[in-house]
């Protein structure tokens, strides 16, 4: 049967069926599959079981009713369509994972290194087990990629031997002296007229962190003096080597959950976790939002991932200022990325276009695609196909093939639905980053 499938693909690629024949076949297959189909569920995909002849013809014309294991060899919806039809973020990696899991292979991870055009399969287990399954895994994954038309990808099978997740540092148990100092510092700050919400040592990082209950403007005006007062108190206990971390403690926000138990291991590379919770409390206060906000930050930008299903994004966006001004972390611009909702945001669609077109095009021999980028500007999606082609070469046939594949999908009803019926344009770039005419 497998040989039959491959032959069917070759026949389609050689254009041995007219468009009218395809339409008739597709309608017949649809009718066959919708008459008393037996329905089973596997993950998010439905598998319809009909007669062998119907299944064969369905593969030939690329019906979307079939499971991923069968649709590996589909032809009518080509490589791009098969990848965009998947709800997975990295559909090919998911298919590889599913395939190897079905063979009871001890898979630790499947990673797609697009720029190296490599799928890396990390296998758990000892040396003997790895030597037994290594070639088997390589061959099975290569066959899957070949069936999908992604023959430009290499397969690298490696043995997983260590931890790939950073381990939290061990939390230091404070002695009675340190605990007594913390209590005294809080009392002395209160005597100076401050109202500390929290104040404790982080001995692993040699930091004393203190959150002060204070109005924003007052805090900003008195920050330097407050910082100096805390530093003096720390030094009075002979801890001149400790740095001071002072921030505004806002009641009724996530910062109230903080204690040494939750922050004691957020040190070194995990110090960002402390900053995120402090900034979260500032954002809650600025926009009157309750609960933790999904966001990331850089030295000068906070990017908020706002989900239409969980909050009134428009109201939140209007409530927050364009910038969050802090004396602790400086001034950070606020940007929004809208996620979820009944319709994906244009930014989310552009991200999906970039990711999935890269997988589909970079994996095909002879197309010379490095990666794909996309954005939404000027009322259309702009798709940038970055190639390794020389500008001086005759590349018309390659560019035409790329155009045909992209347009075939995005001009189809499925592609238009994916784009929410928005316009799009494709820009092809040579290896130097210049656009082809």
């Amino acid at each position: 049967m497998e040989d039959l499938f491959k032959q069917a693909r070759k026949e389609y690629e050689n254009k041995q069926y007219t468009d009218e024949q395809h339409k008739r076949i597709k309608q017949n297959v649809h009718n066959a599959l919708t008459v008393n189909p037996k329905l089973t569920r596997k993950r998010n995909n439905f598998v319809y079981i009909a007669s062998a002849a119907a299944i064969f013809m369905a593969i030939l014309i690329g019906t979307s009713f079939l499971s991923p294991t069968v649709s590996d060899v589909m032809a009518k919806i080509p490589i791009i369509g098969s990848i965009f039809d998947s709800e997975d973020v990295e559909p090919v990696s998911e298919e590889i994972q599913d395939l190897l899991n079905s063979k009871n292979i001890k898979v630790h991870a499947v990673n797609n290194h697009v720029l190296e055009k490599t799928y890396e399969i990390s296998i758990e287990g000892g040396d003997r087990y790895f030597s037994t399954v290594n070639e088997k895994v390589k061959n099975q994954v290569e066959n899957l990629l070949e069936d999908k038309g992604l023959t430009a990808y290499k397969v690298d099978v490696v043995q997983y031997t260590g931890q790939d997740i950073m381990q939290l540092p061990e939390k230091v148990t404070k002695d009675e002296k340190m605990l007594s100092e913390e209590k005294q510092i809080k009392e002395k700050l209160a005597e100076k007229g401050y109202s500390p919400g929290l104040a404790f040592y982080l001995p692993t990082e040699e930091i004393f962190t203190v959150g002060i209950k204070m109005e924003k403007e007052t805090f900003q005006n008195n920050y330097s003096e407050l910082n100096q007062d805390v530093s003096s108190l720390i030094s009075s206990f002979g801890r001149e080597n400790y740095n001071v971390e002072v921030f505004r403690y806002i009641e009724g926000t996530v910062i109230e959950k903080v204690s040494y138990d939750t922050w004691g291991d957020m040190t070194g590379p995990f110090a960002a976790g402390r900053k995120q919770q402090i900034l979260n409390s500032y954002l809650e206060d600025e926009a009157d939002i309750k609960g933790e906000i999904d966001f990331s930050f850089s030295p000068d930008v906070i990017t908020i991932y706002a989900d239409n299903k969980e909050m009134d994004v428009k109201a939140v966006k209007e409530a927050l200022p364009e910038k969050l001004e802090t004396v602790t972390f400086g001034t950070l611009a606020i940007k929004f990325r809208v996620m979820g909702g009944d319709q994906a945001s244009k930014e989310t669609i552009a991200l999906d276009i970039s990711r999935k077109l890269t997988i589909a095009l970079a994996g095909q021999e002879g197309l010379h695609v490095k990666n794909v980028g996309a954005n939404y500007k000027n009322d259309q999606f702009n798709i940038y196909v970055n190639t390794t082609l020389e500008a001086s070469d005759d590349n018309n046939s390659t560019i035409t093939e790329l155009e045909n594949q992209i347009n075939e999908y995005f001009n189809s009803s499925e592609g238009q639905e994916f784009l929410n019926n928005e316009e799009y344009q494709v820009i092809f770039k040579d290896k130097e980053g210049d656009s082809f005419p």
Side-chain angles (χ1 to χ4, degrees):
M1 193 69 170
E2 182 178 355
D3 292 337
L4 194 60
F5 290 165
K6 290 183 177 179
Q7 180 62 32
R9 183 185 179 110
K10 288 179 181 177
E11 288 178 356
Y12 172 75
E13 290 173 344
N14 292 330
K15 305 186 183 303
Q16 299 198 16
Y17 296 91
T18 66
D19 288 342
E20 185 59 34
Q21 286 173 319
H22 277 305
K23 288 179 183 177
R24 291 202 306 271
I25 294 169
K26 188 168 185 176
Q27 184 59 51
N28 289 337
V29 171
H30 177 74
N31 293 340
L33 292 175
T34 52
V35 176
N36 299 321
K38 298 177 183 178
L39 184 62
T40 61
R41 178 85 185 225
K42 179 182 179 183
R43 301 185 67 180
N44 294 323
N45 303 291
F46 290 100
V47 182
Y48 288 83
I49 302 174
S51 69
I55 291 175
F56 169 72
M57 297 311 293
I59 292 170
L60 178 62
I61 64 165
T63 178
S64 60
F65 295 115
L66 299 179
S67 73
T69 52
V70 177
S71 65
D72 288 345
V73 292
M74 70 184 180
K76 182 60 179 173
I77 298 179
I79 297 168
I80 293 177
S82 67
I83 290 175
F84 272 84
D85 283 352
S86 171
E87 294 182 5
D88 291 318
V89 172
E90 219 292 16
V92 178
S93 292
E94 290 290 336
E95 289 190 46
I96 292 172
Q97 182 88 44
D98 289 345
L99 170 67
L100 297 179
N101 286 346
S102 72
K103 307 293 184 182
N104 297 316
I105 302 296
K106 299 176 183 177
V107 181
H108 177 73
V110 178
N111 296 305
N112 178 13
H113 304 296
V114 174
L115 294 181
E116 292 82 22
K117 297 196 176 185
T118 301
Y119 273 94
E120 181 186 85
I121 321 297
S122 177
I123 304 295
E124 297 178 351
D127 294 344
R128 180 178 297 179
Y129 176 77
F130 181 75
S131 64
T132 301
V133 301
N134 182 11
E135 285 302 317
K136 177 182 176 183
V137 168
K138 183 178 175 68
N139 291 337
Q140 288 178 337
V141 175
E142 285 177 342
N143 288 339
L144 185 150
L145 293 173
E146 181 182 355
D147 286 341
K148 296 187 73 63
L150 300 175
T151 53
Y153 286 120
K154 297 181 298 181
V155 177
D156 189 11
V157 183
V158 300
Q159 185 176 6
Y160 174 71
T161 56
Q163 295 294 327
D164 57 356
I165 300 175
M166 295 179 70
Q167 298 299 305
L168 289 169
E170 187 175 348
K171 196 181 302 178
V172 174
T173 301
K174 300 175 186 175
D175 57 26
E176 289 299 322
K177 182 177 182 297
M178 184 171 280
L179 293 171
S180 175
E181 288 175 15
E182 290 177 351
K183 182 178 179 181
Q184 293 177 63
I185 291 169
K186 290 183 73 171
E187 290 172 351
K188 291 181 182 295
L189 286 172
E191 289 172 6
K192 289 178 175 288
Y194 300 120
S195 179
L198 62 80
F200 50 77
Y201 288 110
L202 295 169
T204 303
E205 205 167 9
E206 294 191 337
I207 282 178
F208 188 86
T209 184
V210 55
I212 300 296
K213 300 174 187 177
M214 191 177 286
E215 292 299 318
K216 180 178 179 179
E217 187 174 347
T218 306
F219 181 82
Q220 294 188 169
N221 291 337
N222 292 277
Y223 176 76
S224 297
E225 182 183 347
L226 174 57
N227 198 71
Q228 183 57 50
D229 285 342
V230 176
S231 296
S232 297
L233 287 171
I234 302 302
S235 297
S236 70
F237 291 103
R239 299 189 188 272
E240 293 87 353
N241 57 318
Y242 271 69
N243 293 316
V244 172
E245 184 178 77
V246 180
F247 63 92
R248 182 167 160 249
Y249 186 98
I250 305 170
E251 294 180 289
T253 68
V254 293
I255 209 67
E256 288 190 327
K257 300 177 182 178
V258 170
S259 65
Y260 180 66
D261 284 340
T262 60
W263 274 13
D265 50 13
M266 284 189 186
T267 59
F270 300 95
R274 301 200 308 274
K275 179 176 178 180
Q276 178 133 2
Q277 285 190 290
I278 294 168
L279 288 174
N280 198 116
S281 70
Y282 289 177
L283 291 169
E284 284 187 76
D285 182 57
E286 292 280 347
D288 194 27
I289 305 168
K290 299 303 177 188
E292 294 198 35
I293 303 165
D294 188 11
F295 69 93
S296 61
F297 57 86
S298 63
D300 55 0
V301 176
I302 294 175
T303 302
I304 297 175
Y305 301 93
D307 193 328
N308 276 322
K309 296 179 181 178
E310 297 178 0
M311 66 172 69
D312 186 337
V313 174
K314 184 178 179 181
V316 171
K317 198 169 183 178
E318 290 175 351
L320 278 170
E322 292 183 1
K323 295 182 178 180
L324 181 64
E325 297 181 1
T326 79
V327 292
T328 311
F329 306 115
T331 299
L332 298 97
I334 296 176
K335 295 184 177 180
F336 275 80
R337 290 186 63 178
V338 180
M339 316 295 283
D342 293 331
Q343 281 194 333
S345 72
K346 293 179 174 62
E347 191 171 24
T348 303
I349 293 172
L351 187 64
D352 248 4
I353 291 171
S354 302
R355 184 168 47 226
K356 292 188 173 181
L357 269 186
T358 295
I359 295 169
L361 299 179
Q364 296 184 56
E365 295 275 8
L367 294 187
H368 305 283
V369 173
K370 183 165 57 177
N371 56 33
V372 179
N375 62 28
Y376 187 86
K377 286 183 179 179
N378 302 322
D379 298 322
Q380 66 180 0
F381 286 104
N382 304 288
I383 302 171
Y384 302 92
V385 180
N386 301 302
T387 73
T388 57
L389 298 169
E390 297 280 358
S392 58
D393 294 341
D394 181 8
N395 300 305
N396 289 340
S397 60
T398 304
I399 298 299
T400 299
E401 173 63 18
L402 287 167
E403 281 182 320
N404 288 342
Q405 286 200 32
I406 294 170
N407 291 335
E408 181 179 0
Y409 178 70
F410 286 123
N411 290 340
S412 70
S413 57
E414 294 90 348
Q416 283 294 295
E417 182 179 355
F418 184 87
L419 296 175
N420 287 338
N421 295 307
E422 297 281 351
E423 296 293 325
Y424 74 93
Q425 70 166 342
V426 185
I427 300 97
F428 298 95
K429 296 193 173 187
D430 62 29
K431 66 182 299 183
E432 302 301 328
D434 298 321
S435 298
F436 283 106

